[in-house]
Amino acid sequence: MTVHSIHIFNKKCECIYFTEWNNAKADASKKDKLEPAAEEREVDGDPETAKLVYGVVFSLRNMASKLSNQGFSSYKTGTYKLHYFESPAGPKLVLITDPNAPNMADTLQSIYANVYVEFVVKNALVKPNTPIHNQLFRTTLDKYVRNLPNFE
Amino acid sequence: MAETAQQRFVCDSAMDFLLMETVSLMQEGFDSIDEERDAAYARMEQLGHRVGMGLAERATRDRPRFADNLEVVKFICKDFWLLLFNKQIDNLKTNHRGVYVLTDSSFKWFSRMSADVAAETPQLALVHSAFPCGLIRGALSSLGVSSSVVAEVAAVPQCTFQIKFR
């Protein structure tokens, strides 16, 4: 199972963080993948994709809430699986993995609690709801995702 | 008064966030002008002074008087820091002529700080050290010692406080 990318959206529907790991389409060598900071696109470098992702998630969430009580948590296509986590306070996490991934709701929840809250919310040098650039968050998130049992 | 771990957690978090916000409030509008930046620093330090005074009085309610300056500094390093951050100062150095250097290797309020460019973090963290400096100075002054306290941040989360007795 590979984790492809993660988006974080704030309450105002802006994408405040985006990273991708194993880009399945790229032929990049292993060395490139070890340095996501070098290959990761700028937060605002791909606004179109971010908007599309947010749009999909938003529509699916509304549809699911009308159909049942539970709410939308993930969907699977032939080439990828998208996981969604919405925290009570506002930020939404969207994780894209390969189609065989297990349920990542717990992972997303712990990313939120242990990485986002710790290094963004509690960071005195960061204004809330602005794009996240800080080093500590990036390295912790990267380490966390790479240590997931099925990451490869 | 007994408190549950959860209550303590909520109080600690509220305190941390309040301090973060106070610092940014003090900094608003002071970005480019050096004097006003110093003014912001001085205000935070005064705030810390007042808080430190009160806190030291409460903490030493049942204790006898301190024998000398070294005892006072040791109180700051142990009991006072324990009260505030649940840990003690990691390192105390002195030149026995009235200068003491306190080093906290993982200062609680700096432990989650990180800037966009990692190298800038110490500089940005310096403003946040005004309040703790004031805390120490206030505690010392309520225990009868007049001093000046300066902080140095070499690398977060480590913080060094230099106390000079007058």
Side-chain angles (χ1 to χ4, degrees):
Chain A
M1 173 200 97
T2 58
V3 177
H4 290 313
S5 66
I6 186 168
H7 292 257
I8 303 186
F9 297 98
N10 67 7
K11 257 192 291 215
K12 293 192 205 137
C13 322
E14 296 157 15
C15 179
I16 55 178
Y17 189 72
F18 166 70
T19 311
E20 55 184 358
W21 286 277
N22 280 324
N23 191 347
K25 291 179 260 164
D27 277 343
S29 67
K30 277 283 169 193
K31 194 164 74 126
D32 282 354
K33 284 176 200 138
L34 287 171
E35 293 222 286
E39 90 168 359
E40 109 191 9
R41 302 186 214 160
E42 296 241 326
V43 166
D44 300 329
D46 204 6
E48 291 309 316
T49 314
K51 274 192 237 167
L52 287 172
V53 170
Y54 186 78
V56 162
V57 155
F58 185 73
S59 333
L60 278 174
R61 192 174 57 124
N62 284 355
M63 200 167 19
S65 71
K66 291 194 176 103
L67 289 172
S68 87
N69 289 335
Q70 264 200 340
F72 157 57
S73 77
S74 72
Y75 75 80
K76 188 160 87 160
T77 75
T79 43
Y80 69 92
K81 186 168 181 185
L82 180 145
H83 310 259
Y84 170 71
F85 172 75
E86 179 171 352
S87 72
K92 305 170 175 46
L93 305 190
V94 174
L95 193 69
I96 299 183
T97 63
D98 71 317
N100 304 326
N103 187 356
M104 303 276 269
D106 293 330
T107 318
L108 276 175
Q109 212 260 342
S110 69
I111 289 181
Y112 175 72
N114 301 333
V115 185
Y116 181 80
V117 167
E118 288 292 317
F119 296 109
V120 177
V121 175
K122 289 192 186 175
N123 188 342
L125 304 174
V126 166
K127 280 197 168 59
N129 291 336
T130 55
I132 304 173
H133 289 294
N134 74 63
Q135 264 326 101
L136 216 45
F137 175 75
R138 252 188 251 167
T139 36
T140 321
L141 183 62
D142 190 58
K143 229 188 315 184
Y144 186 89
V145 171
R146 282 180 197 278
N147 284 340
L148 284 175
N150 339 8
F151 183 84
E152 145 211 316
Chain B
M1 128 177 108
E3 58 190 18
T4 64
Q6 176 136 19
Q7 285 174 327
R8 171 119 202 179
F9 175 65
V10 172
C11 294
D12 277 345
S13 311
M15 176 71 178
D16 291 348
F17 289 133
L18 179 65
L19 283 174
M20 279 164 51
E21 204 42 48
T22 325
V23 175
S24 29
L25 187 67
M26 293 287 167
Q27 277 186 309
E28 257 170 45
F30 293 159
D31 284 325
S32 46
I33 313 173
D34 267 334
E35 298 149 340
E36 303 210 4
R37 211 175 343 177
D38 291 338
Y41 186 92
R43 287 200 74 174
M44 284 299 295
E45 217 251 348
Q46 281 292 89
L47 272 176
H49 180 82
R50 183 66 190 86
V51 173
M53 273 176 65
L55 210 49
E57 282 189 28
R58 289 184 90 177
T60 54
R61 204 165 48 167
D62 303 316
R63 293 181 61 133
R65 283 183 121 198
F66 289 104
D68 63 2
N69 287 344
L70 186 57
E71 292 291 312
V72 177
V73 175
K74 285 201 326 212
F75 162 76
I76 302 274
C77 294
K78 295 196 185 140
D79 304 319
F80 194 64
W81 226 246
L82 209 61
L83 194 67
L84 283 170
F85 305 115
N86 247 350
K87 68 186 281 274
Q88 298 181 352
I89 291 268
D90 298 304
N91 202 339
L92 170 64
K93 289 196 270 250
T94 173
N95 71 355
H96 292 293
R97 265 188 274 265
V99 179
Y100 296 84
V101 178
L102 282 62
T103 310
D104 192 342
S105 55
S106 68
F107 188 50
K108 181 163 171 243
W109 293 333
F110 289 179
S111 61
R112 298 276 176 262
M113 282 200 190
S114 158
D116 298 348
V117 181
E120 276 179 26
T121 325
Q123 207 184 344
L124 297 168
L126 210 51
V127 201
H128 287 80
S129 67
F131 190 78
C133 284
L135 274 177
I136 298 179
R137 190 168 73 90
L140 288 172
S141 85
S142 95
L143 295 170
V145 179
S146 121
S147 59
S148 80
V149 183
V150 173
E152 268 163 30
V153 186
V156 288
Q158 191 192 45
C159 190
T160 315
F161 298 99
Q162 202 184 49
I163 308 180
K164 280 205 189 78
F165 285 111
R166 279 186 249 191

